Amino acid sequence: MRITNQLIVDNALRRLRDVHTANNDARDAAITGRRVNLPSDDPTGAGRILALRAAERARVQEQRNADDAEALLNAADTNLRTITSRLQRVRDLVVQGANTTTISDGGGAIADEIASIREELVALANARHAGRPLFSGFADVDAVARDGGGTFVYQGDAGEVRRRIGDIETVTVNVRANDVFGFTAGDDLFTRLDTIESQLRSGDVNGLQASLNSLDGQISRVTEHLGVVGAATNRVESARNRSVEGQMHIGAELSELEHVDMAEAIMELRMQEVALQATQQALGRAFPPSLASFLQ
């Protein structure tokens, strides 16, 4: 191949362009502190960064879901604990009322207190969180448990409210009044309390004994669902901790891929500046007078 002046000039300009590009890349890295500013800087690294960013967004969303789930579960836990405490009080009153002397002396006062507790329990069953009922499944109703003319009825549905707390992990974050208060079993708590009130006022000791057995079953049912809520809360807390740890690991990997060591970046910039000046000087001497001489 014959070497021409044009070929020499083309090679020189190509060399100058390469040195300028390397110098600009080094300057961008030193200014921004980032290793990859454009996908063309490192296509493989850029693809990895995009994947990590997507994983980071997923972990953040999982943490938000876990926070929301924990708020729902904590609200349910608080209400169920209060319900359990009030039912224990009802049981003590029933035991007290089953004493014939107590009934004859003050069964009406005990019945009045149980009626008051029943109203409190109905309010707890109809509790709302963030504008929606706690114990109604998916149904947005004004009253989950309603007096249907002497018998209480459940107005919610069987929906399970779930939250995604992992890539393939979801958790149920609600319990339903239909199950907690015995509507499914055909012996709901509120109708039973109505019956106990009537038995106290009429002095039905045998009936109170039967109601006491039913009440023990009601307390066990609420306690069982309290355990369900506790187990779900533990799962949510564990998942949230994993999400937080995942974000930390992703952040560290992203930092390694994206960021440069500033001391190395500044040193690289100085070296590229020296290389650029040397190239310009060499071209200035090789092609005077020329644009290269002017740049020098």
Side-chain angles (χ1 to χ4, degrees):
M1 181 179 64
R2 186 166 63 91
I3 303 300
T4 64
N5 287 337
Q6 185 62 46
L7 181 60
I8 295 174
V9 170
D10 289 344
N11 289 336
L13 292 177
R14 186 180 302 107
R15 170 60 181 166
L16 182 61
R17 182 172 60 251
D18 292 342
V19 173
H20 265 293
T21 299
N23 184 71
N24 290 337
D25 291 343
R27 183 185 295 109
D28 290 343
I31 292 174
T32 64
R34 298 171 65 89
R35 188 185 310 277
V36 180
N37 291 291
L38 295 172
S40 58
D41 294 341
D42 182 0
T44 302
R48 181 60 180 159
I49 288 170
L50 290 176
L52 288 171
R53 288 295 183 193
E56 184 179 45
R57 289 192 295 271
R59 299 294 85 77
V60 170
Q61 185 59 54
E62 288 164 6
Q63 185 177 349
R64 291 173 182 165
N65 293 346
D67 290 340
D68 179 58
E70 187 174 32
L72 284 168
L73 290 167
N74 286 342
D77 180 84
T78 299
N79 279 269
L80 291 176
R81 288 183 185 277
T82 303
I83 290 167
T84 302
S85 175
R86 301 308 289 150
L87 286 178
Q88 291 291 349
R89 174 57 181 167
V90 170
R91 191 184 191 286
D92 293 341
L93 291 171
V94 172
V95 171
Q96 180 182 347
N99 184 302
T100 55
T101 302
T102 305
I103 290 182
S104 62
D105 293 344
I110 296 175
D112 289 342
E113 184 174 351
I114 286 180
S116 175
I117 293 175
R118 183 198 61 226
E119 295 304 316
E120 181 182 355
L121 293 175
V122 169
L124 289 169
N126 293 329
R128 305 177 76 85
H129 174 77
R132 294 187 60 83
L134 265 177
F135 302 113
S136 68
F138 295 140
D140 187 5
V141 294
D142 294 330
V144 179
R146 182 176 61 82
D147 188 348
T151 302
F152 280 81
V153 294
Y154 172 64
Q155 297 195 119
D157 56 31
E160 292 187 353
V161 179
R162 303 184 68 82
R163 293 291 183 269
R164 185 179 67 83
I165 55 176
D167 286 334
I168 58 174
E169 182 181 9
T170 62
V171 62
T172 300
V173 296
N174 73 314
V175 291
R176 296 168 298 279
N178 194 29
D179 303 319
V180 175
F181 302 114
F183 290 99
T184 301
D187 181 23
D188 72 274
L189 171 64
F190 312 108
T191 301
R192 175 57 59 182
L193 293 178
D194 275 348
T195 301
I196 291 173
E197 179 188 354
S198 299
Q199 290 167 343
L200 284 166
R201 296 190 188 281
S202 65
D204 184 0
V205 176
N206 292 331
L208 284 174
Q209 292 292 345
S211 291
L212 185 61
N213 293 331
S214 174
L215 190 60
D216 286 338
Q218 299 283 354
I219 294 173
S220 296
R221 186 181 296 114
V222 175
T223 303
E224 177 185 348
H225 284 86
L226 189 57
V228 170
V229 169
T233 301
N234 290 338
R235 282 188 62 192
V236 169
E237 290 178 351
S238 178
R240 182 177 55 204
N241 291 337
R242 290 197 303 271
S243 293
V244 172
E245 291 177 1
Q247 291 177 54
M248 294 175 60
H249 292 316
I250 290 172
E253 191 170 353
L254 279 171
S255 178
E256 184 176 346
L257 286 171
E258 290 183 318
H259 300 151
V260 298
D261 183 284
M262 290 306 299
E264 292 182 0
I266 293 173
M267 183 179 297
E268 177 67 18
L269 176 60
R270 294 289 181 263
M271 291 175 59
Q272 293 300 331
E273 287 176 344
V274 170
L276 176 61
Q277 292 174 1
T279 301
Q280 290 173 345
Q281 291 173 358
L283 293 180
R285 289 193 297 268
F287 303 105
S290 66
L291 179 60
S293 298
F294 174 77
L295 292 176
Q296 181 182 349

